[in-house]
Amino acid sequence: MSQSYHEMWEKLNLDLPAHDGLLQVLGKFYGDIYMSQQGRLQGMEYLDFVLSEVHGLRIKELQDAKAQGRKVIGSFCVFVPEEISLAADAVHVGLCSGADAGKEEAEKLVPRNTCALIKSFIGFKMAKLCPFTESCDLIVGETTCDGKKKAYEAFGELVPMLVMEVPQQKRACDRELWKAEVLRYMVEVEKLTGKTITAEKLKAAIKTVNDRRRVLQRLNRLREADPAPISGRDALLINQVGFYDDPVRFTASISTLCDQIEERIKAGQGVAPKGTPRLLLSGCPMAVPNWKLPYVIESSGAVIVGEESCIGTRNTRDLVDESGETLEEMIETIVDRYLKIDCACFTPNTERMDNVAAIARELKADGVVQYTLMFCQPYGHEAIKLGNRLEKESIPSLAIETDYSMEDVEQLKTRVEAFVEMLK
Amino acid sequence: MIAGIDVGSRSIELVCRRDGAVVHTARRPTTFDPRGQIRSLVAGLPLERVTATGYGRTLVAQTLAEDNGPPVETITEIKAYALGVRDLSPEARTVLDIGGQDTKAISLTGDGRVLKFEMNDRCAAGTGKFLEHVANVFQISIEEFGAYALQGDEALTINSMCTVFAETEATSLMAQGHRPENIALGLHASIVKRTMNMLGRVGLTHPVVFAGGVARNPCVVELVSRALGREPVVPDNPDMVGALGAALYGSVQ
Ligand code: SF4
Ligand code: SF4
């Protein structure tokens, strides 16, 4: 990456040598996992470019936006209503937290038995590695699990932080609570940006975010085809990039990519031969650069055809109803849309069981790989439930519990390969 | 001749078949030079096809490719054990395989396919490695350790599943003056307890075949029998089952 960025990173107070090291590792990892794929789509070059410039050009864009007086808001969870940030002319980015860097630092603030995702976002901050975190004027957390809830108390000492309360049930009173939180978020965002959210602006923001969801829905539908027209790794990358790229540009690029995919399907082409075992990946979110398991799966003779995850269908399945005209109406539709999210933090959460089974059927998946981050209570519990449910429906499933380290790769390979052998 | 090779952490097994019968078997320690060991195992054999399994399965493929050897396919130990067991005991419904660094429980369908499997994760708790490690503490060879433990009359409780902590526990029990045979018995019992949990998770159905290197340990076999309430089937060469399964896979392809 060019020298000019060093100055920018220095201004952001990154630990430059450590950051250079991170970029090197990332680049190598990316090369091994992505560039080595055969029969890759041309349109993926856009993603290769975005990813190679993730700490460069994209950060520069954020800095330019800030210079024009716009604010940058970061979030970790798909519950934070991006529509509201955009309506106040803020830039909204998902903060990734998919790597082990800074783990030792993080363990000074959170217990060792904490999931890798939490350790990662704290570690990135403490080790001064993430230019996105450093660019944020506000970071929005949410109370979706106890680990995060408590971690935000420590994290809040390090960054400007707002924590939204996500309810844990979906009764009328919970909806009231969530609505109050959405309104509170709106007030906070207006305060931060100094802009008033008008009906017109919110309507446009809803459309922007829905458009991005729509294009990702389209991508997902295309994956019903056999042979699979796109690898799961690439599709995951697209979902990951969707969290921090400019939404309008992203939607346009993925739309072009979908056109290409349609041609491929028509021509009967795919990334793996017809009849290759098709797997649905389900469970905890997989933030950049958490590609270990998808890589293991796709080098074991299977292809991933869907991601039932927050970096996947849980983020894209539901749209905000676009018929609202007044601010009040639009807030209602936003509240409703977000409460459809079937995160494991809810109790009960039977929707998720239904949804996973339905997605597996739609995508004609031969099996489901459940991915749980070690020490994640909500998804750990649901892995048992979901396993039983899928067994009842005669959908084979494999439960994997892992973290971001590489020490279990060989065992993972054996497990995944054995599962794929079972399906053949 | 069609060969199956199972490269485990402790030993490498080779089974060769011709016209539907096993015609040659061999075994060597893995050592720090598994490539060399693989080479010497197959040297001079007229092999047409090789199927490799075990954690070193890709190493076999690499090594033989370098030597311009016969084509190599790889399968997992899970599949290999299922195939091997089906051949030896067609009626088997559950396989327990305790090897050098992995323990696996596999349930089979009526026609011998894998229905479900469980495998220990990253650490060596409950595997052959565990026994090897604690046998060292007793300064008894791993081959004799089982017979030694069978002399115990009361299995002392070992709480830790972790190899290193279990050693600490064993040492402190020794310091308290307990009979070492009873401590050894307790260490064996702790492995079997873990194993039974794993078997339970795949839905234990009889008959159970107990394979893998640790099935040579008489104490583990005895404790497994007690826990199951009936004797598991132990093949004559329990550590050859993976290589046999691999050879069978190669024969049908
Ligand atoms: S899993 Fe739950 S908490 Fe995590 S990002 Fe998704 S909705 Fe948010
Ligand atoms: S992965 Fe699980 S434990 Fe970690 S933050 Fe998400 S919900 Fe919480």
Side-chain angles (χ1 to χ4, degrees):
Chain A
M1 231 168 268
S2 84
Q3 208 50 35
S4 63
Y5 293 138
H6 270 99
E7 211 175 290
M8 173 176 81
W9 293 330
E10 198 152 20
K11 272 201 204 121
L12 286 170
N13 198 22
L14 294 189
D15 178 341
L16 290 181
H19 181 252
D20 282 346
L22 176 76
L23 287 187
Q24 243 173 33
V25 174
L26 235 156
K28 162 129 193 2
F29 204 36
Y30 189 78
D32 291 350
I33 291 186
Y34 281 98
M35 304 312 243
S36 62
Q37 294 180 94
Q38 307 228 318
R40 213 154 163 247
L41 288 152
Q42 264 170 9
M44 292 306 294
E45 284 153 16
Y46 156 71
L47 287 143
D48 293 341
F49 176 71
V50 175
L51 206 86
S52 70
E53 282 290 341
V54 57
H55 281 196
L57 210 54
R58 184 60 183 142
I59 298 298
K60 172 122 193 349
E61 285 178 354
L62 296 189
Q63 301 314 314
D64 292 348
K66 280 163 84 97
Q68 289 162 16
R70 292 174 68 191
K71 298 291 177 189
V72 176
I73 299 178
S75 65
F76 298 108
C77 166
V78 296
F79 257 102
V80 179
E82 189 180 345
E83 290 86 350
I84 290 175
S85 320
L86 297 187
D89 207 24
V91 182
H92 192 112
V93 289
L95 298 174
C96 60
S97 53
D100 243 349
K103 183 166 132 194
E104 284 75 21
E105 289 289 304
E107 286 179 2
K108 292 178 189 160
L109 287 187
V110 295
R112 207 166 49 86
N113 289 7
T114 300
C115 86
L117 195 144
I118 293 173
K119 275 190 208 168
S120 177
F121 73 70
I122 295 196
F124 269 64
K125 173 68 201 175
M126 292 179 75
K128 298 196 212 151
L129 283 170
C130 175
F132 285 93
T133 306
E134 302 306 325
S135 301
C136 284
D137 299 290
L138 178 69
I139 293 183
V140 192
E142 59 341 286
T143 57
T144 42
C145 74
D146 287 356
K148 273 193 185 170
K149 220 156 68 187
K150 298 309 284 182
Y152 291 142
E153 290 174 19
F155 197 59
E157 308 263 311
L158 309 174
V159 298
M161 171 115 228
L162 173 82
V163 177
M164 293 182 79
E165 182 154 357
V166 172
Q168 302 180 10
Q169 297 200 17
K170 295 184 177 177
R171 303 159 304 180
C173 59
D174 300 304
R175 189 183 181 283
E176 282 310 302
L177 166 70
W178 178 236
K179 185 178 165 189
E181 286 295 287
V182 171
L183 288 169
R184 184 169 71 94
Y185 181 59
M186 193 163 130
V187 172
E188 291 291 337
V189 171
E190 286 183 330
K191 233 195 289 172
L192 175 79
T193 57
K195 305 250 165 77
T196 309
I197 295 178
T198 62
E200 193 189 355
K201 279 184 165 171
L202 189 55
K203 198 169 172 70
I206 289 176
K207 170 92 171 42
T208 302
V209 183
N210 272 350
D211 282 345
R212 190 184 60 211
R213 293 184 185 123
R214 273 190 278 260
V215 83
L216 289 168
Q217 288 175 356
R218 178 177 168 210
L219 175 70
N220 265 323
R221 273 195 307 273
L222 294 174
R223 294 166 79 189
E224 285 169 28
D226 186 16
I230 181 171
S231 72
R233 266 168 286 170
D234 281 336
L236 176 66
L237 185 67
I238 292 172
N239 277 286
Q240 290 172 332
V241 165
F243 279 93
Y244 57 75
D245 198 16
D246 174 76
V248 177
R249 173 174 62 203
F250 175 85
T251 304
S253 313
I254 302 308
S255 167
T256 314
L257 185 81
C258 285
D259 294 342
Q260 283 182 23
I261 295 181
E262 272 172 3
E263 309 236 319
R264 272 201 160 194
I265 296 175
K266 263 191 227 135
Q269 292 169 344
V271 287
K274 200 176 162 81
T276 300
R278 301 161 62 83
L279 297 178
L280 171 66
L281 193 55
S282 160
C284 282
M286 287 190 155
V288 179
N290 181 5
W291 303 312
K292 175 174 77 173
L293 185 59
Y295 179 58
V296 166
I297 293 176
E298 296 202 327
S299 32
S300 300
V303 57
I304 300 169
V305 293
E307 296 77 27
E308 188 274 335
S309 158
C310 286
I311 299 179
T313 52
R314 208 171 301 128
N315 180 36
T316 57
R317 185 186 56 224
D318 305 305
L319 301 178
V320 175
D321 182 340
E322 289 181 1
S323 64
E325 292 299 335
T326 64
L327 263 186
E328 175 62 21
E329 280 167 7
M330 282 184 263
I331 294 294
E332 296 291 336
T333 55
I334 288 175
V335 166
D336 284 334
R337 184 270 167 195
Y338 280 84
L339 269 188
K340 282 187 200 147
I341 296 173
D342 53 353
C343 171
C345 68
F346 285 99
T347 179
N349 189 31
T350 42
E351 305 109 281
R352 176 155 175 256
M353 312 296 135
D354 298 335
N355 286 330
V356 175
I359 299 172
R361 268 186 241 107
E362 271 160 33
L363 294 174
K364 299 186 215 91
D366 299 299
V368 176
V369 175
Q370 289 207 60
Y371 164 74
T372 305
L373 278 170
M374 217 174 280
F375 308 124
C376 169
Q377 293 286 337
Y379 284 94
H381 276 270
E382 291 206 347
I384 299 175
K385 270 196 192 164
L386 185 54
N388 291 338
R389 165 69 184 269
L390 293 172
E391 191 168 335
K392 253 189 222 131
E393 303 217 10
S394 301
I395 301 173
S397 75
L398 173 73
I400 298 276
E401 198 179 67
T402 185
D403 57 16
Y404 298 165
S405 76
M406 290 296 151
E407 62 185 40
D408 61 346
V409 168
E410 290 305 318
Q411 270 120 333
L412 286 183
K413 271 190 195 153
T414 300
R415 256 177 230 212
V416 171
E417 280 178 32
F419 184 59
V420 174
E421 283 169 350
M422 248 171 77
L423 301 176
K424 273 185 184 159
Chain B
M1 225 157 51
I2 288 163
I5 303 184
D6 182 355
V7 184
S9 62
R10 197 159 193 278
S11 59
I12 306 178
E13 287 87 19
L14 170 76
V15 169
C16 299
R17 296 176 89 245
R18 179 183 285 141
D19 304 329
V22 173
V23 291
H24 173 71
T25 64
R27 183 160 179 245
R28 274 170 183 265
T30 307
T31 71
F32 285 105
D33 178 25
R35 275 169 183 273
Q37 299 291 65
I38 293 166
R39 286 200 169 102
S40 58
L41 270 172
V42 300
L45 296 173
L47 299 179
E48 293 151 50
R49 248 198 326 270
V50 173
T51 302
T53 187
Y55 97 113
R57 57 192 179 278
T58 46
L59 194 67
V60 176
Q62 283 166 17
T63 308
L64 297 194
E66 276 168 25
D67 299 354
N68 293 317
V72 180
E73 268 203 81
T74 59
I75 59 175
T76 65
E77 302 95 285
I78 317 269
K79 175 140 195 156
Y81 271 85
L83 289 170
V85 162
R86 178 174 49 168
D87 188 63
L88 296 169
S89 319
E91 71 297 347
R93 294 302 297 275
T94 310
V95 182
L96 171 62
D97 158 31
I98 312 185
Q101 67 179 13
D102 282 319
T103 300
K104 299 174 199 87
I106 309 165
S107 64
L108 302 175
T109 60
D111 55 1
R113 282 179 309 112
V114 176
L115 185 66
K116 220 173 168 182
F117 65 90
E118 286 274 338
M119 195 179 143
N120 64 313
D121 36 38
R122 44 189 99 190
C123 85
T127 67
K129 197 91 219 146
F130 176 90
L131 282 177
E132 216 173 290
H133 190 84
V134 290
N136 262 331
V137 179
F138 284 79
Q139 294 180 346
I140 292 176
S141 80
I142 179 71
E143 287 76 19
E144 292 162 85
F145 193 44
Y148 178 77
L150 274 177
Q151 293 163 26
D153 49 19
E154 182 202 349
L156 294 173
T157 310
I158 304 289
N159 294 300
S160 182
M161 285 288 176
C162 162
T163 309
V164 177
F165 286 134
E167 176 189 334
T168 314
E169 269 193 81
T171 327
S172 55
L173 285 170
M174 281 180 196
Q176 289 164 26
H178 287 285
R179 276 186 71 203
E181 292 86 342
N182 287 347
I183 304 172
L185 187 59
L187 288 162
H188 281 75
S190 83
I191 284 202
V192 173
K193 186 169 160 213
R194 201 183 159 91
T195 304
M196 285 302 135
N197 290 339
M198 215 183 257
L199 281 175
R201 285 201 299 272
V202 297
L204 176 67
T205 314
H206 288 284
V208 177
V209 172
F210 182 10
V214 174
R216 289 191 184 277
N217 178 312
C219 185
V220 177
V221 175
E222 168 63 25
L223 294 177
V224 167
S225 307
R226 281 189 216 160
L228 289 176
R230 59 195 267 191
E231 276 179 29
V233 180
V234 181
D236 286 341
N237 288 306
D239 32 20
M240 284 286 180
V241 176
L244 172 68
L248 287 162
Y249 180 82
S251 311
V252 295
Q253 292 304 298

Coordinates of all heavy atoms in Angstrom, one line a residue, chain A residues 4 18 33 44 55 67 71 96 120 129 153 171 186-187 207 219 222 259 284 288 310 315 346 366 369 381 386 396 421:
Chain A
S4 N 1.6 7.2 1.1 CA 0.8 8.3 1.5 C -0.2 7.9 2.6 O -0.6 8.8 3.5 CB 0.0 8.8 0.3 OG -0.9 7.8 -0.1
A18 N 3.0 -2.5 14.0 CA 2.1 -3.6 14.2 C 1.1 -3.6 13.1 O 0.7 -4.7 12.6 CB 1.4 -3.4 15.6
I33 N -6.4 -17.9 0.4 CA -7.8 -18.3 0.5 C -8.6 -17.9 -0.7 O -9.5 -18.6 -1.1 CB -8.4 -17.8 1.8 CG1 -7.7 -18.6 3.0 CG2 -9.9 -18.0 1.9 CD1 -8.3 -18.3 4.3
M44 N -15.4 -10.3 -9.2 CA -14.8 -10.3 -7.9 C -13.6 -9.4 -7.8 O -13.2 -9.1 -6.7 CB -14.4 -11.8 -7.6 CG -15.6 -12.7 -7.3 SD -16.8 -12.2 -6.1 CE -15.8 -12.2 -4.6
H55 N -7.9 -0.7 4.3 CA -7.3 0.3 5.3 C -6.8 1.5 4.6 O -6.2 2.4 5.3 CB -6.2 -0.4 6.1 CG -6.7 -1.3 7.1 ND1 -6.0 -1.8 8.2 CD2 -8.0 -1.8 7.4 CE1 -6.7 -2.5 9.0 NE2 -7.9 -2.6 8.5
A67 N -13.8 15.5 7.0 CA -13.3 16.9 6.7 C -14.5 17.7 6.2 O -14.5 18.9 6.4 CB -12.2 16.8 5.6
K71 N -20.1 12.7 10.1 CA -19.7 11.9 11.2 C -19.6 10.5 10.8 O -20.4 10.0 10.0 CB -20.6 12.1 12.4 CG -20.7 13.5 13.0 CD -19.4 13.9 13.6 CE -19.5 15.4 14.1 NZ -18.2 15.9 14.6
C96 N -15.1 -4.8 12.1 CA -15.0 -6.2 11.7 C -14.8 -7.2 12.9 O -15.7 -8.0 13.1 CB -14.1 -6.4 10.6 SG -12.4 -5.9 10.9
S120 N -11.6 -9.7 20.0 CA -11.1 -9.1 18.8 C -11.3 -7.6 18.7 O -10.4 -6.8 18.5 CB -11.6 -9.8 17.6 OG -11.1 -9.2 16.4
L129 N -4.8 -1.0 16.1 CA -4.6 -1.7 14.8 C -5.7 -1.3 13.8 O -5.5 -1.6 12.6 CB -4.6 -3.2 15.0 CG -3.4 -3.8 15.6 CD1 -3.7 -5.3 16.0 CD2 -2.3 -3.7 14.6
E153 N -18.8 -2.0 28.8 CA -18.5 -1.2 29.9 C -17.0 -0.8 29.9 O -16.6 0.4 30.1 CB -18.8 -1.9 31.2 CG -20.3 -2.1 31.4 CD -20.6 -2.9 32.7 OE1 -19.7 -3.0 33.6 OE2 -21.8 -3.4 32.7
R171 N -42.6 -9.6 22.9 CA -43.9 -9.2 23.3 C -44.2 -7.8 23.0 O -43.2 -7.0 22.7 CB -44.1 -9.5 24.8 CG -43.8 -11.0 25.2 CD -43.5 -11.0 26.7 NE -42.4 -10.1 27.1 CZ -41.9 -10.0 28.3 NH1 -42.5 -10.7 29.3 NH2 -41.0 -9.2 28.5
M186 N -32.1 8.0 17.5 CA -32.3 9.1 16.6 C -31.9 10.4 17.2 O -31.2 11.2 16.6 CB -33.8 9.1 16.2 CG -34.1 9.9 15.1 SD -35.7 9.5 14.4 CE -36.4 11.1 14.3
V187 N -32.3 10.6 18.4 CA -31.9 11.8 19.1 C -30.4 12.0 19.3 O -29.8 13.0 19.0 CB -32.6 11.9 20.5 CG1 -32.1 13.1 21.3 CG2 -34.1 11.9 20.4
K207 N -34.6 3.5 1.6 CA -34.4 2.9 0.2 C -33.0 2.5 0.0 O -32.8 1.4 -0.5 CB -34.9 4.0 -0.7 CG -34.6 3.8 -2.2 CD -35.8 3.2 -2.8 CE -35.7 3.1 -4.4 NZ -34.4 2.7 -4.9
L219 N -28.5 -12.1 -5.0 CA -27.3 -13.0 -5.0 C -27.7 -14.3 -4.3 O -27.3 -15.4 -4.9 CB -26.2 -12.3 -4.2 CG -24.9 -13.1 -4.1 CD1 -24.2 -13.3 -5.4 CD2 -24.0 -12.5 -3.1
L222 N -29.7 -16.6 -6.5 CA -28.9 -17.2 -7.6 C -28.2 -18.4 -7.2 O -27.8 -19.3 -8.0 CB -28.0 -16.1 -8.2 CG -28.7 -15.0 -8.9 CD1 -27.7 -13.9 -9.3 CD2 -29.5 -15.4 -10.1
D259 N -25.5 -10.0 -12.6 CA -25.8 -10.1 -14.0 C -24.8 -11.2 -14.6 O -25.2 -12.1 -15.3 CB -25.5 -8.8 -14.8 CG -26.6 -7.8 -14.4 OD1 -27.6 -8.1 -13.8 OD2 -26.3 -6.6 -14.6
C284 N -22.9 -18.2 14.3 CA -22.3 -16.9 14.7 C -21.9 -16.1 13.5 O -21.6 -16.6 12.5 CB -21.1 -17.2 15.6 SG -21.5 -17.6 17.3
V288 N -14.8 -10.1 8.8 CA -13.5 -10.1 8.2 C -12.4 -10.2 9.2 O -12.5 -9.4 10.3 CB -13.2 -8.7 7.4 CG1 -11.9 -8.7 6.7 CG2 -14.3 -8.5 6.4
C310 N -25.4 -13.3 10.7 CA -25.7 -11.9 10.6 C -24.9 -11.3 9.5 O -25.2 -10.2 9.0 CB -25.3 -11.2 11.9 SG -26.5 -11.6 13.1
N315 N -29.0 -10.6 8.0 CA -28.9 -9.1 7.8 C -29.7 -8.7 6.6 O -29.9 -7.5 6.4 CB -27.4 -8.8 7.6 CG -27.1 -7.4 7.3 OD1 -27.8 -6.5 7.9 ND2 -26.2 -7.1 6.4
F346 N -32.6 -13.9 21.6 CA -34.0 -13.9 22.0 C -34.4 -15.3 22.6 O -33.9 -16.3 22.4 CB -34.8 -13.7 20.7 CG -34.8 -12.3 20.3 CD1 -34.0 -11.9 19.3 CD2 -35.6 -11.3 21.0 CE1 -34.0 -10.6 18.9 CE2 -35.5 -10.0 20.6 CZ -34.7 -9.6 19.5
D366 N -27.4 -30.0 1.0 CA -27.4 -31.4 1.5 C -27.1 -31.5 3.0 O -27.4 -32.5 3.5 CB -26.2 -32.1 0.8 CG -26.4 -32.1 -0.8 OD1 -27.4 -32.6 -1.2 OD2 -25.6 -31.5 -1.5
V369 N -23.8 -26.8 8.3 CA -22.6 -26.8 9.2 C -22.9 -25.6 10.2 O -23.1 -24.5 9.8 CB -21.3 -26.5 8.5 CG1 -20.2 -26.3 9.6 CG2 -20.9 -27.7 7.6
H381 N -26.0 -22.8 22.9 CA -27.3 -23.4 23.2 C -28.1 -23.8 22.0 O -28.7 -24.9 21.9 CB -28.1 -22.5 24.1 CG -27.7 -22.5 25.6 ND1 -28.3 -23.4 26.5 CD2 -26.8 -21.8 26.3 CE1 -27.7 -23.3 27.6 NE2 -26.8 -22.3 27.6
L386 N -30.9 -26.7 17.5 CA -31.0 -26.7 16.0 C -30.6 -28.1 15.5 O -31.2 -28.6 14.6 CB -30.2 -25.6 15.4 CG -30.2 -25.4 13.9 CD1 -31.7 -25.2 13.4 CD2 -29.4 -24.2 13.5
P396 N -29.0 -33.5 7.5 CA -27.7 -33.8 8.2 C -27.1 -32.5 8.7 O -27.1 -31.5 8.0 CB -26.8 -34.5 7.2 CG -27.7 -34.9 6.1 CD -28.9 -34.0 6.1
E421 N -18.1 -36.7 3.4 CA -18.1 -38.1 2.9 C -19.5 -38.7 3.2 O -20.0 -39.5 2.5 CB -17.0 -38.9 3.7 CG -15.6 -38.7 3.2 CD -14.6 -39.3 4.1 OE1 -14.9 -39.7 5.2 OE2 -13.4 -39.4 3.7

